[in-house]
Amino acid sequence: MRLGFIGLGAMGRPMAGHLLRGGHELSVFARRAEAAAPLVDAGACACASPAAVARNADVVFTIVTSNADVEQLTLGDDGIAQGAAPGSVVIDMSTIAPSVARRIAQGLAARGVDMLDAPVSGGTAGAAAATLSIMVGGKATVLDRMRPLFDLLGKTVVHVGDNGAGQVAKACNQMIMVSVIEAVAEAIHLANAAGVDARRVREALLGGSAQSRVLDLFGGRMVARDFRPGVEARLHHKDFGLVLREAVDLGAPLPISAQVWQQLNALMGREMAHDDTASLLRVLELTDAGGSQN
Amino acid sequence: MRLGFIGLGAMGRPMAGHLLRGGHELSVFARRAEAAAPLVDAGACACASPAAVARNADVVFTIVTSNADVEQLTLGDDGIAQGAAPGSVVIDMSTIAPSVARRIAQGLAARGVDMLDAPVSGGTAGAAAATLSIMVGGKATVLDRMRPLFDLLGKTVVHVGDNGAGQVAKACNQMIMVSVIEAVAEAIHLANAAGVDARRVREALLGGSAQSRVLDLFGGRMVARDFRPGVEARLHHKDFGLVLREAVDLGAPLPISAQVWQQLNALMGREMAHDDTASLLRVLELTDAGGSQN
């Protein structure tokens, strides 16, 4: 199939590589030419604009950072909508607001282009290993046609509902994941304060009802005091802005998510924005009478 | 070995049964004789007091609800300390304050009796299946001698540290577990508010970075709207009292744990105390403009 890919960052680059190795023609666009170079070397075609990518492709993937980025890429000047043929498909894998995903889907539908919102969970490791979990909003019939492509990128592909539903699921994912990171940070902070070896606490808890992927991965980073990113905390901070905005729009009370957002705010104000979100432990330590341990 | 067991509730009764079937002599004490009846039928000896149990046993297990219960059973009138021979061992598997566990260990040590604090995670299902996770505080040499007994009750047995450390680990376990229940409740509440099928959201999230045992089990109860207990919410409310008291004593800030405690408080005031902690979802719904869904 003729595919396009826009957004060749830490997530997008390995994902585009999987599609290319899957035997598809691939056109790419990157604001910085050097981001596209490894894919061009592997056989992809570099285009001058999102519209040009769309002209070369039946299906265009996008994975970028913000609401505004996705709107610009799809509906803006020289955007995908200006190049895409009726019957083609846009798959946006960015994490953006459900309302923006719905608006873009409507804008594309007006040109006869189908859109799926298909944000992912699993991080850069999941992108590299093609083990992402993919949460899809949009028409089931479109998803069915695209499923062979999704299978090149992830191992769990769930149709959540209509356009926007994929982004709602992703909001739920981020709420839970970062709230659990904070809960694990608080537990490790309590263990440290009590003079108990947090490594052994984590080990004991991994076998019981507090088990989670976060306790394993982020808890491991906390007890090793390794705060190099995985995913940079500033991206989770951005995601929480989307989650809480959605909650405000819906009038849904989310008391601990709101508190977790404040902890992420404290982290952003402390120059840990580019570190791992395991740094939520250091936020707790900074507010201690004794000050930081690290 | 000659064993004693005190506290034949939903957790203790199956645990005592495993010890008995493990080929050990078992003496039991229950305030209500009918609680002991199935074990007596299976060959256990019913005693008139904790002191009498201790006189018949080399190792006495206790698993009851409160700090005061454990202190009374061990150091009170007709308590274990009054019957236990020097060199015998008390294993308290209750969830109590670390400071109380340390005080009881000291009181017993004065009589030449060793004590382990060994609270468990895994609930009534884990007790029945002998798959509990056991967090042990006390001397490593004593744990080594007791390990064959623990192996009859659980599958993960971790020596966390000195007396009290097992209870600190359990506090960490409860903090994380109930905070995750609240986070899952908030995510499901957001999905419901957005008109998205929460069952599919849960399914999608179980494959990604928000995966946890809580999302599977308690998330499943929430989407099925099955609020029958598992563990009654009032017991988690009690546990959070211990956690936050410990945090206050240590001067450790725990912002989301404190907020989760408030959500549990709201649940206690709404006659859901004997329901499952999945009812935290209903607390969110009660604070909605639209009122309760159930």
Side-chain angles (χ1 to χ4, degrees), chain A residues 2 7-8 32 38-39 57 60 76 82 96 101 109 117 121 144 153 173 183 197 201 204 219 261 264-265 267 270:
Chain A
R2 298 185 315 143
L8 301 171
R32 297 177 306 108
L39 288 159
V60 180
Q82 298 191 357
I96 61 172
D117 46 298
S121 171
D144 288 344
L153 302 175
N173 189 80
D197 185 344
V201 170
W261 196 25
L264 287 169
N265 280 343
L267 183 156
R270 300 282 187 166

Side-chain angles (χ1 to χ4, degrees), chain A residues 118-151:
Chain A
V120 301
S121 171
T124 51
T131 57
L132 293 168
S133 177
I134 307 176
M135 297 154 261
V136 186
K139 291 182 200 152
T141 51
V142 177
L143 169 56
D144 288 344
R145 282 161 46 211
M146 297 299 113
R147 197 172 282 272
L149 299 175
F150 285 127
D151 288 343

Side-chain angles (χ1 to χ4, degrees), chain A residues 76-237:
Chain A
D77 288 345
D78 267 337
I80 293 168
Q82 298 191 357
S88 64
V89 178
V90 172
I91 300 178
D92 177 44
M93 307 188 87
S94 316
T95 295
I96 61 172
S99 58
V100 175
R102 282 181 215 111
R103 191 162 67 228
I104 292 171
Q106 285 165 3
L108 290 168
R111 318 273 307 218
V113 175
D114 275 307
M115 190 266 213
L116 298 176
D117 46 298
V120 301
S121 171
T124 51
T131 57
L132 293 168
S133 177
I134 307 176
M135 297 154 261
V136 186
K139 291 182 200 152
T141 51
V142 177
L143 169 56
D144 288 344
R145 282 161 46 211
M146 297 299 113
R147 197 172 282 272
L149 299 175
F150 285 127
D151 288 343
L152 293 171
L153 302 175
K155 67 177 164 98
T156 308
V157 182
V158 175
H159 183 236
V160 185
D162 294 336
N163 276 123
Q167 294 295 350
V168 170
K170 179 66 189 277
C172 292
N173 189 80
Q174 301 308 85
M175 280 171 65
I176 293 176
M177 182 178 59
V178 184
S179 297
V180 180
I181 297 172
E182 172 67 21
V184 169
E186 293 192 9
I188 288 177
H189 189 52
L190 184 71
N192 286 339
V196 170
D197 185 344
R199 266 171 288 234
R200 295 202 203 166
V201 170
R202 171 178 164 276
E203 184 194 340
L205 270 52
L206 280 172
S209 50
Q211 177 278 336
S212 68
R213 204 165 286 182
V214 165
L215 177 62
D216 188 10
L217 182 62
F218 290 86
R221 289 177 187 157
M222 290 178 204
V223 298
R225 303 200 72 79
D226 179 358
F227 298 108
R228 290 171 298 176
V231 175
E232 294 181 16
R234 68 184 174 86
L235 296 174
H236 286 146
H237 181 260

